Amino acid sequence: GLSQKWTAKAQLKEGTNTIEIPVSIRNPKLWWCNGLGEPNLYHFTTSVSLGSTTDSRSENIGLRDIKILREKDEGGTSYTVQINGVKAFMKGANYIPQHSFLTAVTDSMYERTILDAVNANMNMLRVWGGGIYENYIFYDLCDRYGILVWQDFMFACSFYPTEGEMLESVRQEA
């Protein structure tokens, strides 16, 4: 495919730095969930160089527009997922950790699970808030195969403070 390169020079300070580089993709191939179209992904590599030292990170990114429509209707208020302007019916399941020993879960087990969801015509998995934030491969496979992820915060089976430091911690996590 086509390769484009965007660059910017910046003065970095100690601590967190944010650098914005405008990116334009003509007629992008959008990411669609399973059943609505292809889950198109773009491969991006970001590099930061200082002298002869370079650090980089690569990601596969799907370009999409997702909205939760909350509109008054005859039943009260809707809760409809709209992807790339199309209202979509969500079909999925609750996902819990696959094994009590987390390191026992192999890449092929993750792939089998995601493909099982695809083959059952699912388009969303909910990651249960009593489990774990899954390994990157789980999310990468969901992106690759068109599965949206409804990610719970890791709050389950208890009450949690809703103010002060805890609320600020949750805000940063979100």
PDB file of all heavy atoms in Angstrom, residues 164-174:
ATOM      1  N   GLY A 164     -12.958  12.229  45.454  1.00  0.00           N
ATOM      2  CA  GLY A 164     -11.576  12.383  45.912  1.00  0.00           C
ATOM      3  C   GLY A 164     -10.557  11.687  45.042  1.00  0.00           C
ATOM      4  O   GLY A 164     -10.674  11.653  43.816  1.00  0.00           O
ATOM      5  N   GLU A 165      -9.537  11.119  45.691  1.00  0.00           N
ATOM      6  CA  GLU A 165      -8.419  10.494  44.971  1.00  0.00           C
ATOM      7  C   GLU A 165      -8.866   9.350  44.071  1.00  0.00           C
ATOM      8  O   GLU A 165      -8.356   9.180  42.977  1.00  0.00           O
ATOM      9  CB  GLU A 165      -7.371   9.980  45.968  1.00  0.00           C
ATOM     10  CG  GLU A 165      -6.571  11.066  46.639  1.00  0.00           C
ATOM     11  CD  GLU A 165      -5.530  10.490  47.607  1.00  0.00           C
ATOM     12  OE1 GLU A 165      -5.020   9.388  47.340  1.00  0.00           O
ATOM     13  OE2 GLU A 165      -5.246  11.164  48.611  1.00  0.00           O
ATOM     14  N   MET A 166      -9.818   8.550  44.545  1.00  0.00           N
ATOM     15  CA  MET A 166     -10.285   7.415  43.743  1.00  0.00           C
ATOM     16  C   MET A 166     -10.937   7.903  42.446  1.00  0.00           C
ATOM     17  O   MET A 166     -10.661   7.382  41.372  1.00  0.00           O
ATOM     18  CB  MET A 166     -11.273   6.569  44.545  1.00  0.00           C
ATOM     19  CG  MET A 166     -11.771   5.342  43.795  1.00  0.00           C
ATOM     20  SD  MET A 166     -10.426   4.182  43.476  1.00  0.00           S
ATOM     21  CE  MET A 166     -11.347   2.828  42.815  1.00  0.00           C
ATOM     22  N   LEU A 167     -11.793   8.924  42.536  1.00  0.00           N
ATOM     23  CA  LEU A 167     -12.443   9.452  41.351  1.00  0.00           C
ATOM     24  C   LEU A 167     -11.411  10.036  40.391  1.00  0.00           C
ATOM     25  O   LEU A 167     -11.502   9.825  39.173  1.00  0.00           O
ATOM     26  CB  LEU A 167     -13.474  10.509  41.737  1.00  0.00           C
ATOM     27  CG  LEU A 167     -14.278  11.096  40.576  1.00  0.00           C
ATOM     28  CD1 LEU A 167     -15.064  10.013  39.849  1.00  0.00           C
ATOM     29  CD2 LEU A 167     -15.218  12.194  41.072  1.00  0.00           C
ATOM     30  N   GLU A 168     -10.425  10.727  40.909  1.00  0.00           N
ATOM     31  CA  GLU A 168      -9.379  11.287  40.051  1.00  0.00           C
ATOM     32  C   GLU A 168      -8.580  10.175  39.384  1.00  0.00           C
ATOM     33  O   GLU A 168      -8.225  10.260  38.207  1.00  0.00           O
ATOM     34  CB  GLU A 168      -8.455  12.207  40.849  1.00  0.00           C
ATOM     35  CG  GLU A 168      -7.294  12.791  40.066  1.00  0.00           C
ATOM     36  CD  GLU A 168      -7.692  13.573  38.812  1.00  0.00           C
ATOM     37  OE1 GLU A 168      -8.848  14.031  38.711  1.00  0.00           O
ATOM     38  OE2 GLU A 168      -6.829  13.739  37.927  1.00  0.00           O
ATOM     39  N   SER A 169      -8.291   9.094  40.114  1.00  0.00           N
ATOM     40  CA  SER A 169      -7.588   7.951  39.538  1.00  0.00           C
ATOM     41  C   SER A 169      -8.395   7.343  38.378  1.00  0.00           C
ATOM     42  O   SER A 169      -7.837   7.009  37.330  1.00  0.00           O
ATOM     43  CB  SER A 169      -7.338   6.898  40.621  1.00  0.00           C
ATOM     44  OG  SER A 169      -6.827   5.721  40.074  1.00  0.00           O
ATOM     45  N   VAL A 170      -9.690   7.197  38.568  1.00  0.00           N
ATOM     46  CA  VAL A 170     -10.558   6.641  37.524  1.00  0.00           C
ATOM     47  C   VAL A 170     -10.614   7.581  36.324  1.00  0.00           C
ATOM     48  O   VAL A 170     -10.574   7.151  35.174  1.00  0.00           O
ATOM     49  CB  VAL A 170     -11.978   6.367  38.078  1.00  0.00           C
ATOM     50  CG1 VAL A 170     -12.944   5.987  36.978  1.00  0.00           C
ATOM     51  CG2 VAL A 170     -11.906   5.263  39.126  1.00  0.00           C
ATOM     52  N   ARG A 171     -10.692   8.892  36.586  1.00  0.00           N
ATOM     53  CA  ARG A 171     -10.716   9.872  35.486  1.00  0.00           C
ATOM     54  C   ARG A 171      -9.460   9.749  34.630  1.00  0.00           C
ATOM     55  O   ARG A 171      -9.519   9.713  33.415  1.00  0.00           O
ATOM     56  CB  ARG A 171     -10.841  11.293  36.035  1.00  0.00           C
ATOM     57  CG  ARG A 171     -11.049  12.357  34.929  1.00  0.00           C
ATOM     58  CD  ARG A 171     -10.857  13.766  35.441  1.00  0.00           C
ATOM     59  NE  ARG A 171      -9.482  14.054  35.805  1.00  0.00           N
ATOM     60  CZ  ARG A 171      -8.485  14.237  34.931  1.00  0.00           C
ATOM     61  NH1 ARG A 171      -8.705  14.182  33.642  1.00  0.00           N
ATOM     62  NH2 ARG A 171      -7.265  14.484  35.354  1.00  0.00           N
ATOM     63  N   GLN A 172      -8.291   9.625  35.270  1.00  0.00           N
ATOM     64  CA  GLN A 172      -7.041   9.490  34.534  1.00  0.00           C
ATOM     65  C   GLN A 172      -7.005   8.183  33.753  1.00  0.00           C
ATOM     66  O   GLN A 172      -6.531   8.149  32.628  1.00  0.00           O
ATOM     67  CB  GLN A 172      -5.849   9.594  35.481  1.00  0.00           C
ATOM     68  CG  GLN A 172      -5.638  10.993  36.024  1.00  0.00           C
ATOM     69  CD  GLN A 172      -4.464  11.065  36.981  1.00  0.00           C
ATOM     70  OE1 GLN A 172      -3.570  10.227  36.951  1.00  0.00           O
ATOM     71  NE2 GLN A 172      -4.462  12.076  37.829  1.00  0.00           N
ATOM     72  N   GLU A 173      -7.509   7.117  34.359  1.00  0.00           N
ATOM     73  CA  GLU A 173      -7.534   5.817  33.686  1.00  0.00           C
ATOM     74  C   GLU A 173      -8.417   5.860  32.444  1.00  0.00           C
ATOM     75  O   GLU A 173      -8.070   5.332  31.397  1.00  0.00           O
ATOM     76  CB  GLU A 173      -8.032   4.752  34.650  1.00  0.00           C
ATOM     77  CG  GLU A 173      -7.992   3.356  34.083  1.00  0.00           C
ATOM     78  CD  GLU A 173      -8.394   2.313  35.106  1.00  0.00           C
ATOM     79  OE1 GLU A 173      -8.269   2.557  36.314  1.00  0.00           O
ATOM     80  OE2 GLU A 173      -8.852   1.249  34.673  1.00  0.00           O
ATOM     81  N   ALA A 174      -9.573   6.511  32.566  1.00  0.00           N
ATOM     82  CA  ALA A 174     -10.493   6.626  31.425  1.00  0.00           C
ATOM     83  C   ALA A 174      -9.831   7.420  30.312  1.00  0.00           C
ATOM     84  O   ALA A 174      -9.949   7.096  29.147  1.00  0.00           O
ATOM     85  CB  ALA A 174     -11.787   7.298  31.862  1.00  0.00           C
TER      86      ALA A 174
END
